[in-house]
Structure formats: structure tokens, C-alpha cells
Amino acid sequence: RLYDINFKIIVIGNSGVGKSCLTLKATQGIFKEDFVSTLGFQFFSFHVKINDKIIKLHIWDTCGQEIYRSLITNFYRSTSLAIICYSVTDRQSFNEIEIWLKQVKTNSDPDCKVFLIGNKVDLPDRVISCEEGIKCKKEHGFECYMETSAKTGVNVRELFVNCALALYKELPKYMKEREIENLNKQFNLNEDIKTEENDCSC
């Protein structure tokens, strides 16, 4: 069997924040310094085994240029989870989080989960702190906040594993309360953990 459950995920955010690099690193283990900005959409698959179920994430990597944003709204339908990305080195990409969140709430199903991701933590010219990201997560009710680096791989695979876990927990026919508790312990899914390496997670 290829998979038991399939979920659609959309990755959104301003152009240049590293959405494609992040997705490519997670799904293929590749990082490209000279990656060309996405025009339209790219599709990736990510598989996770949870208990005895194989979860397939069908990931839609989107373009971030403002002139294409109106086109993206057509692809929010049937999205189970949206990942809003910003760069920790780009204040504008952080300031426009609310614009992307409004698009998700306007065009997707009411139960669509939303993760907030601060990418490019490997770069030295950081302008958005981890604390600012956590504050934004709490103010806007994001399901999860994490910091990542597509270049070094920090929290990249963990991001999509957390996506699969968050969606899997919503399937009561497969889950029991004890199983959920065991998953939390297994994957260390605690609220807004700040590690010594200054990366944050759900």
C-alpha cells in the first residue's frame, strides 16, 4: 500500500522567504542556493508512518509574488493545513503574516489548521526574534510555531511530521485518548519550546 490517509497542505508566504527550499529539503533532502522563485505551483509528497497508518501529505508549494496572490485563492479549497512562512531576516514578510492568514480564513474550510514558520535561522542578519514569533502565534491563534532552516535542515522534517500528527489527531476513528498521549510523549509536542539553539517548535 502507498498510504492510508491523504491530506492536502498549502505552503504560502511572501516571495523569497524560502518556501520552495523548505519543501524541497523536507521531501528530497536537497538545498539549492540559486533556487528560482516559484511561478504558479509545485507539488511535493511527504510520507509519515504514525502507529500503523501511513500518512501522505500532498504539499502545494505556492508563488509569493503579490501579482499572483489572487490566483492562489482558488487552491485553498479542501486544504487541511496551511503553512505560512516568513523569513527571520525580512521584517516585511513578518508584517504581512496577517494578510496571508486572512486569505486562509476567507478561502479555506473553517477547520483548516494554520502553522506559522520562521525560516532562514541560519543567517546572521536576523531581525525577527523567536519571542516575536511566539507572540504572533499566540495573538493570532496559530496551531503551531516553529523556526527552520532549509539550508541546515533545522526543524525541516520535524515541521511536516508535526503537520501529519496535528491532522492525524483529528481522526477519532483511528485515535484513542491514550494513543494521543503516547504520541505527545514520543514526538515531544510541547507548547512553544525554545531550545538552547534558539529554535522554537510547537
Side-chain angles (χ1 to χ4, degrees), residues 6 15 41 46 54-56 60 66 68 91 118 128 141 150-151 175 178 181-182 186 195 202:
N6 182 36
S15 180
F41 297 85
F46 185 87
I54 299 174
I55 314 299
K56 178 183 179 181
W60 297 44
E66 190 168 354
Y68 297 115
R91 174 64 64 176
I128 311 296
K151 184 174 184 178
M175 299 295 296
R178 183 172 297 180
E181 183 180 342
N182 289 337
Q186 179 183 353
T195 70
C202 304

Side-chain angles (χ1 to χ4, degrees), residues 1-7 46-57 164 168 171 174:
R1 64 185 183 183
L2 297 177
Y3 59 90
D4 296 293
I5 310 166
N6 182 36
F7 294 110
F46 185 87
H47 293 78
V48 181
K49 186 174 183 180
I50 301 176
N51 294 327
D52 61 338
K53 303 297 179 184
I54 299 174
I55 314 299
K56 178 183 179 181
L57 302 182
Y168 184 68
L171 300 174
Y174 293 129

Side-chain angles (χ1 to χ4, degrees), residues 86-101:
Y86 69 92
S87 168
V88 299
T89 67
D90 182 354
R91 174 64 64 176
Q92 183 176 350
S93 70
F94 183 78
N95 290 342
E96 295 190 11
I97 288 170
E98 290 186 44
I99 296 175
W100 292 104
L101 182 58

Side-chain angles (χ1 to χ4, degrees), residues 4 8-9 20 35 42 61 87-88 118 139-140 170 182-183:
D4 296 293
K8 176 183 174 182
I9 291 179
S20 298
F35 202 93
Q42 294 188 84
D61 170 38
S87 168
V88 299
E139 287 180 349
H140 296 290
E170 297 299 311
N182 289 337
L183 284 175

